[in-house]
Amino acid sequence: MSENQTEIARYRLVAGESRFTVQAFAEGLFSAFGHNPVIAIRDFEGEAECVPDTLEQGKVRMRIKSDSLAVGDDVKEKDRLEIERMMREQVLEVARYPDIVFESTSVTASRIAQNRYRVRVIGDLTLHGSTGKNLWIQAEVTKSDDGLRAKGEFTMRQTDYGIKPVSVAGGTLKVKNELKFSFDIAAEKHG
């Protein structure tokens, strides 16, 4: 390797060792009786790359199977099935839009301790046939010899992606436009 070339480490995201959720919030007249469902994002794949010791020149790409989202909290079975049906058929339209894709356009990192970094990822999210530019994600990344672990949260608005927030019971119970995502994603070194 010449002096001008920088070593890039490559990582594969590991869904089975990760937790990735989205929370919707109820609003409206009867929201006190409604659900604020937590939805698990179960089937995703992706990769990350960066300079090992600094996380510079970072890139992240993730593909989520939209039909893999499932209500993951203490919701009655009947309600869970109805929420999942509405989410798949009316909100995400999974038959028409089977994939949700995120691709970074900028990654900046600052070291906060040995093998721990504060990272800001900016990228494009393609969801429901629309691509939203400049989605900001803040995370804390811990590096080990064989991988990375990223933890953080971010929010997004459904209407930015052409999704009309769901309402039921004649509009007396509806889902707020803003969704909150939480993640603890593992990535293993490869290549």
Side-chain angles (χ1 to χ4, degrees):
M1 192 178 309
S2 74
E3 286 180 35
N4 297 10
Q5 291 179 312
T6 306
E7 180 187 348
I8 299 290
R10 289 175 173 68
Y11 302 88
R12 181 179 11 260
L13 305 185
V14 184
E17 295 176 20
S18 302
R19 183 188 54 76
F20 192 10
T21 62
V22 57
Q23 184 163 17
F25 298 94
E27 67 179 355
L29 184 61
F30 296 115
S31 61
F33 304 106
H35 299 296
N36 292 319
V38 175
I39 298 158
I41 301 170
R42 296 187 172 147
D43 188 359
F44 63 87
E45 61 185 23
E47 55 276 337
E49 61 182 54
C50 61
V51 174
D53 295 329
T54 64
L55 302 192
E56 288 179 5
Q57 298 178 36
K59 293 181 185 175
V60 179
R61 181 173 168 75
M62 176 184 275
R63 178 178 307 273
I64 299 166
K65 292 294 181 193
S66 60
D67 66 356
S68 76
L69 278 66
V71 175
D73 60 359
D74 300 333
V75 175
K76 291 183 218 157
E77 181 69 7
K78 178 178 147 278
D79 292 344
R80 183 184 63 75
L81 292 171
E82 179 61 14
I83 292 167
E84 288 178 357
R85 185 194 64 74
M86 288 181 77
M87 179 177 58
R88 290 185 178 125
E89 292 176 12
Q90 297 175 26
V91 177
L92 296 174
E93 297 181 76
V94 300
R96 192 168 168 199
Y97 307 110
D99 294 321
I100 301 166
V101 177
F102 176 80
E103 192 150 3
S104 67
T105 55
S106 168
V107 176
T108 56
S110 59
R111 187 174 159 184
I112 54 176
Q114 181 71 27
N115 294 322
R116 284 182 47 216
Y117 302 84
R118 185 167 292 114
V119 177
R120 183 186 70 206
V121 179
I122 302 172
D124 300 338
L125 178 67
T126 301
L127 168 66
H128 196 254
S130 296
T131 300
K133 305 281 186 191
N134 297 323
L135 177 66
W136 285 48
I137 301 171
Q138 303 282 350
E140 185 172 306
V141 176
T142 306
K143 182 180 153 313
S144 65
D145 290 339
D146 55 354
L148 301 173
R149 183 153 217 113
K151 297 179 183 182
E153 297 179 346
F154 64 96
T155 59
M156 61 153 263
R157 292 190 321 243
Q158 296 177 77
T159 53
D160 290 347
Y161 298 89
I163 298 172
K164 182 181 176 192
V166 174
S167 84
V168 293
T172 57
L173 180 61
K174 48 189 163 184
V175 173
K176 288 184 180 180
N177 189 20
E178 191 168 90
L179 301 173
K180 178 182 169 186
F181 292 77
S182 300
F183 59 89
D184 179 355
I185 295 179
E188 62 187 12
K189 203 168 195 177
H190 79 97

